[in-house]
Amino acid sequence: LSRARVTRADERDQTRGVRTSDKYFFLYLQRGLLEATDKKNFFFFFFFYFFFSLFANQICHTDLHFIAHDVGQHSYPLVPGHEIIGVVTKVGSKATDFKIGDIVGVGCMVESCLSCSACANDEEQYCKNTPTWTYGADTRHSLHGKNQVQTIGGYSDKFVVDHRFAVKFPFAKEDFESEGEFNEVLAKCAPLLCAGITMYSPCKKYIDMVKKSRDTQSLPAETPVKVGVRGLGGLGQMGIKILSTMNVEVFAISHSPNKEEEAKRIGANHFVLSSSVTAMNKLKRDHALDIILDTVGALPSEEDASPSTPEGGSPTSREDKRDKTPSPQEFYDVAADALATHGHYVLIGLNTKPVAITGTKFIWNDISLHGSLIGGVKQTKETVDFCWKHKIFPDVNIISVRDIPNVLQLLEKGNDSTKRYVIDASTFE
């Protein structure tokens, strides 16, 4: 058992999940191999360990939403974790695309109906009969065990999954000179299964969409597509790294001036302070973005509504002194104004609050608002191969199971780091 600072669902209104440090709720961790309760489906499963020193599961901000019961789709006890990487130890007779010793990963889904139009289009995440998420969801398609049993995530040392919802990584332990180097690569690869696909999918889709639109309008093809990434947390940094290999112009958009240096280090061409109306208006005037990928799972906070100056600095010009921070109510209007004609604003962060944009913004400039949810299994495999080819990995902090409560509190307060936190599965003891 591992104790984390979370609370029962019926205490949520009073304690608001991880925000109350003196309330505890046990996360029940898997021990031993899970048994396939439906024998006829046993051979569609393969088993794999997060073995020994394997740094196997990444903490995602979505874990926090589920723990705090923000999305209301699960019950307790809850075991989070959906960026899982490990080595195959047993293989069902029909899982012929895997063998013992393969390095494999599981992302956000473990089953879908496999028969609807979305599944037929390799978009299982939009399954018309509802996909089953890796944790906190009731099984419903008989691919992940007995139906109506809540799924258990990757905060564990072992896992079982249908082979059609796993991804093979293009390397083996023998490819590395030392165990330490191998484990380090595993830790960096785990976030590709959620953060990686979450950013790769909309990057590819909307860049291709902009390029096709230019072709039909006889616009210069050589002009680089301009893409803004709002938020420089774990999703944002993956987005910037992926975009930097796609021959586009990358704009990092953040309310924190302290992240400018880091944003440019990982591949951004420009940095824009989103807490400054002047900076956002200048973005529209000087550039006009084709795409904005919004990775922030929250509205701009009221505490941002203060003069935006670098830490320890002060406004140096008359324009700076008049500058103001857009309120949560007007932020999206200001952001929409930063889009070019036919531009796309894409919501990616899991924002559970209403997003308001004045209707005329869509009409006068023909902009569009979209949402994007991870990607299908096929595209997840494409993401893994793409990132491996281009050596695109997130910066990570490796933690032990005892650090989970502190990391969850850090995420709750607003993570000021661009790094992802990866749990060393060997510490599940």
Side-chain angles (χ1 to χ4, degrees):
L1 295 177
S2 174
R3 191 165 64 181
R5 292 187 176 100
V6 295
T7 60
R8 295 183 182 274
D10 57 5
E11 295 173 337
R12 176 177 177 266
D13 291 340
Q14 290 76 33
T15 60
R16 192 55 180 165
V18 296
R19 293 176 189 151
T20 301
S21 60
D22 60 348
K23 296 286 185 180
Y24 292 89
F25 184 76
F26 285 101
L27 300 178
Y28 291 90
L29 305 177
Q30 298 165 259
R31 302 300 301 178
L33 293 175
L34 296 180
E35 296 182 0
T37 54
D38 189 345
K39 296 300 182 183
K40 72 177 182 179
N41 288 307
F42 173 78
F43 292 114
F44 290 97
F45 292 125
F46 71 84
F47 300 82
F48 66 89
Y49 280 94
F50 295 158
F51 72 108
F52 303 111
S53 60
L54 187 69
F55 304 131
N57 188 89
Q58 193 273 148
I59 294 180
C60 179
H61 199 276
T62 303
D63 299 346
L64 188 67
H65 284 292
F66 273 70
I67 290 170
H69 209 69
D70 285 342
V71 291
Q73 296 178 345
H74 61 275
S75 59
Y76 296 98
L78 176 73
V79 180
H82 61 200
E83 296 174 83
I84 310 166
I85 188 169
V87 60
V88 177
T89 59
K90 289 188 178 181
V91 183
S93 62
K94 293 188 178 181
T96 56
D97 39 354
F98 294 95
K99 65 182 184 300
I100 292 174
D102 282 346
I103 307 302
V104 296
V106 176
C108 301
M109 300 174 290
V110 290
E111 63 174 12
S112 69
C113 77
L114 299 178
S115 60
C116 69
S117 58
C119 291
N121 199 37
D122 296 315
E123 293 184 320
E124 298 91 349
Q125 76 274 27
Y126 300 126
C127 175
K128 303 304 181 184
N129 297 303
T130 309
T132 300
W133 307 119
T134 304
Y135 68 86
D138 289 343
T139 54
R140 62 183 71 235
H141 304 293
S142 298
L143 302 181
H144 196 70
K146 188 176 181 179
N147 284 347
Q148 304 306 312
V149 175
Q150 183 166 289
T151 52
I152 299 173
Y155 285 22
S156 176
D157 62 349
K158 299 175 181 68
F159 204 78
V160 57
V161 71
D162 186 287
H163 71 106
R164 290 165 291 189
F165 288 84
V167 173
K168 185 187 300 184
F169 280 81
F171 60 83
K173 186 175 182 179
E174 294 73 28
D175 298 333
F176 301 90
E177 295 181 358
S178 68
E179 178 118 354
E181 182 185 4
F182 174 60
N183 289 338
E184 183 179 356
V185 170
L186 289 175
K188 291 182 176 180
C189 285
L192 301 181
L193 299 160
C194 176
I197 178 61
T198 296
M199 295 310 297
Y200 177 82
S201 181
C203 285
K204 188 173 186 296
K205 176 178 179 178
Y206 292 102
I207 289 171
D208 288 348
M209 193 178 295
V210 169
K211 289 181 177 179
K212 289 178 182 178
S213 175
R214 289 180 176 179
D215 290 342
T216 60
Q217 299 175 59
S218 301
L219 297 174
E222 64 275 8
T223 303
V225 177
K226 296 182 178 183
V227 185
V229 178
R230 180 192 172 218
L232 299 182
L235 286 178
Q237 66 133 324
M238 277 302 300
I240 289 172
K241 288 184 176 185
I242 290 171
L243 288 166
S244 68
T245 69
M246 291 184 166
N247 195 30
V248 299
E249 195 170 353
V250 184
F251 294 74
I253 304 172
S254 174
H255 76 279
S256 174
N258 301 322
K259 291 189 176 182
E260 179 173 3
E261 182 178 349
E262 176 70 7
K264 291 182 177 178
R265 181 189 71 81
I266 62 178
N269 304 105
H270 309 273
F271 180 86
V272 181
L273 195 62
S274 61
S275 53
S276 165
V277 171
T278 300
M280 295 294 287
N281 287 339
K282 186 174 186 296
L283 177 63
K284 169 67 174 179
R285 184 172 65 248
D286 296 346
H287 297 286
L289 304 181
D290 298 295
I291 305 163
I292 295 178
L293 304 175
D294 191 338
T295 71
V296 181
L299 296 175
S301 64
E302 294 288 359
E303 65 187 21
D304 289 338
S306 59
S308 53
T309 58
E311 186 175 13
S314 60
T316 57
S317 69
R318 181 174 299 176
E319 185 179 60
D320 289 334
K321 292 178 182 178
R322 293 196 314 266
D323 199 10
K324 68 170 185 175
T325 297
S327 69
Q329 291 73 29
E330 67 183 352
F331 171 81
Y332 291 102
D333 274 357
V334 174
D337 285 337
L339 287 170
T341 303
H342 316 303
H344 306 276
Y345 196 99
V346 187
L347 296 173
I348 299 171
L350 188 57
N351 189 348
T352 59
K353 302 290 179 61
V355 173
I357 301 179
T358 303
T360 53
K361 302 290 182 182
F362 297 98
I363 298 169
W364 300 131
N365 216 22
D366 189 21
I367 66 169
S368 52
L369 179 67
H370 309 266
S372 183
L373 177 66
I374 54 171
V377 178
K378 180 179 179 181
Q379 195 173 48
T380 302
K381 173 61 175 173
E382 183 181 320
T383 300
V384 167
D385 292 341
F386 179 89
C387 290
W388 183 254
K389 175 182 177 180
H390 295 281
K391 303 305 176 189
I392 300 171
F393 306 106
D395 297 327
V396 299
N397 279 329
I398 299 170
I399 66 170
S400 75
V401 63
R402 295 181 180 274
D403 297 321
I404 293 175
N406 292 332
V407 171
L408 291 173
Q409 284 194 316
L410 180 64
L411 294 176
E412 172 72 6
K413 293 175 181 177
N415 183 18
D416 197 41
S417 170
T418 58
K419 293 186 176 182
R420 308 287 285 188
Y421 293 92
V422 178
I423 304 168
D424 180 349
S426 69
T427 62
F428 282 103
E429 297 176 352

